[in-house]
Amino acid sequence: MNAANGDERGTTERVLTLLGLLQRRRVWTGPELAERLGVTTRTVRRDVERLRTLGYPVHAGQGVGGGYQLGPGQDLPPLLLDDEEAIATAVSLMAGAGGAVAGAGDAALRALTKLDQVLPTRLRHEVRALAGSVELFGAGQAPVDPVVLMTLARACRDEVEAGFTYPSGGEVRQRRVEPYRLVASDRRWYLLAYDLDRDDWRTFRVDRMTDVSARTWRFAPRDAPDAATYVQEGVASRAYPHRASFLVHASADTVRAQIPASAAVVRERGSGRCEVLSGAGGLDRVLMHVLLLGHDFEVIDPPELTERCRVLAEKLLAARSAAAPVRRSGPGRGAREERP
């Protein structure tokens, strides 16, 4: 290594050390930083300017109580974490990605994947060992192994094949896929991937996967459907033997607040109306789901559902008649009872 490279490395290490000091305490004076770093106050001023160039807002105050202070900025610059902070951050992100924090799973997974990529090997093993000793309950999503999520996220990013075992048709089978996107619903994580053995796009529940691994075989990306839309439609309708769509006389926002995203697809249709696409084990069950929303609606598809509406209406009317209160025809004991 020549002298220039050695000086540059020394400057970089010193600037990173300065950043760590500024993150550790609210205010430092110039002489305090110079003593910690073993340099002059003039060098401290130069290093502060280097941090500002990198996007760190370092403020300098004058007089008694003044000094250098790291303030908030418009953009988030890189953070400098020591070993304990990195472990705590990674474990917290694992909990969020695994479903312990409702609504935070997707963002936690992205952050965890970035952190895992740069985490030293000695810390990576410690993080996973610590995460394995933590149990979660009451989560909004079905808990999944964060290591599995990271494996799949990296496979999607690096465009390499993935393999896993998965239950299908009462059997557990080996699947070989080209992973495209991970999608988080209100309850579960799903993988949208191209199934190489079935030659088509498929949606897989991550909590049902076992023996997940990423291969070294790279693939050329295919023209893919919109991941969130495809997974939602698959979970809400295609996975069921009976599917139906309705025109509901209420706004899409109103209906979305009533139905979990994994239970139905809601599309805006203008003028305070929306289309609801859902599925279930039987047409009557789909019909009841929409009826219980409490809004006027019309059947779009399938046509035979219109007849089911009539049959259900007759059953409801008959139930009302049977439960109607009795009325006495006259006063006194032995009066005849009649139904209205």
Side-chain angles (χ1 to χ4, degrees):
M1 178 186 298
N2 58 42
N5 289 339
D7 292 343
E8 183 178 348
R9 179 177 179 180
T11 300
T12 301
E13 292 177 350
R14 188 178 66 247
V15 171
L16 289 175
T17 303
L18 172 60
L19 175 60
L21 291 172
L22 291 171
Q23 290 178 335
R24 191 178 305 170
R25 204 171 82 184
R26 180 174 174 78
V27 179
W28 292 84
T29 65
E32 286 176 332
L33 291 173
E35 182 180 356
R36 287 294 190 99
L37 298 172
V39 297
T40 65
T41 55
R42 182 179 180 182
T43 300
V44 170
R45 289 195 297 270
R46 290 177 178 174
D47 288 347
V48 166
E49 287 302 321
R50 291 186 176 98
L51 286 177
R52 288 169 176 165
T53 301
L54 293 173
Y56 294 94
V58 183
H59 305 306
Q62 302 296 326
V64 179
Y68 294 104
Q69 178 180 353
L70 188 63
Q74 294 182 343
D75 299 315
L76 180 66
L79 297 176
L80 190 63
L81 304 175
D82 61 27
D83 286 6
E84 291 183 356
E85 292 168 339
I87 291 173
T89 301
V91 171
S92 298
L93 290 172
M94 279 188 168
V101 183
D106 188 49
L109 177 59
R110 293 197 305 270
L112 180 59
T113 303
K114 293 177 181 178
L115 182 59
D116 185 71
Q117 187 175 6
V118 298
L119 209 60
T121 302
R122 69 180 190 281
L123 297 185
R124 184 178 292 113
H125 293 324
E126 188 170 349
V127 165
R128 292 178 180 175
L130 182 58
S133 66
V134 177
E135 295 291 335
L136 307 172
F137 71 93
Q141 293 180 339
V144 296
D145 186 349
V147 176
V148 170
L149 284 175
M150 282 194 294
T151 300
L152 295 173
R154 284 195 295 264
C156 292
R157 180 196 63 194
D158 299 337
E159 297 174 349
V160 296
E161 291 183 13
F164 50 86
T165 54
Y166 196 80
S168 177
E171 300 179 7
V172 177
R173 303 177 182 177
Q174 184 69 30
R175 310 301 282 264
R176 189 171 57 96
V177 303
E178 295 177 354
Y180 177 62
R181 288 288 187 276
L182 280 166
V183 178
S185 76
D186 52 349
R187 293 186 296 175
R188 296 185 175 91
W189 279 97
Y190 297 90
L191 173 70
L192 174 61
Y194 192 85
D195 193 315
L196 295 171
D197 296 323
R198 289 157 179 77
D199 198 26
D200 199 3
W201 292 98
R202 289 289 189 271
T203 298
F204 302 94
R205 274 178 50 176
V206 176
D207 60 300
R208 290 182 174 176
M209 296 179 180
T210 54
D211 301 324
V212 179
S213 64
R215 312 290 175 80
T216 57
W217 296 99
R218 293 183 63 95
F219 61 85
R222 305 171 186 267
D223 291 334
D226 179 80
T229 301
Y230 187 91
V231 171
Q232 185 189 15
E233 290 183 356
V235 171
S237 63
R238 287 195 301 268
Y240 295 97
H242 296 279
R243 297 177 294 276
S245 59
F246 305 85
L247 182 65
V248 178
H249 293 245
S251 69
D253 289 340
T254 298
V255 175
R256 288 192 185 106
Q258 296 178 277
I259 306 177
S262 57
V265 179
V266 181
R267 302 189 180 109
E268 188 70 58
R269 285 294 179 260
S271 302
R273 301 186 302 176
C274 64
E275 180 183 348
V276 174
L277 175 66
S278 186
L283 288 178
D284 284 353
R285 187 176 294 273
V286 183
L287 184 58
M288 286 301 301
H289 286 168
V290 177
L291 180 64
L292 291 174
L293 294 176
H295 309 296
D296 292 338
F297 65 91
E298 304 167 35
V299 174
I300 298 177
D301 191 65
E304 59 266 28
L305 196 55
T306 302
E307 174 62 17
R308 298 306 306 166
C309 287
R310 186 189 65 78
V311 173
L312 180 60
E314 290 179 352
K315 289 181 179 179
L316 292 173
L317 287 173
R320 174 183 177 275
S321 298
V326 297
R327 183 176 60 200
R328 297 183 182 275
S329 60
R333 180 178 297 180
R336 185 169 54 91
E337 295 182 349
E338 297 179 348
R339 294 187 182 273

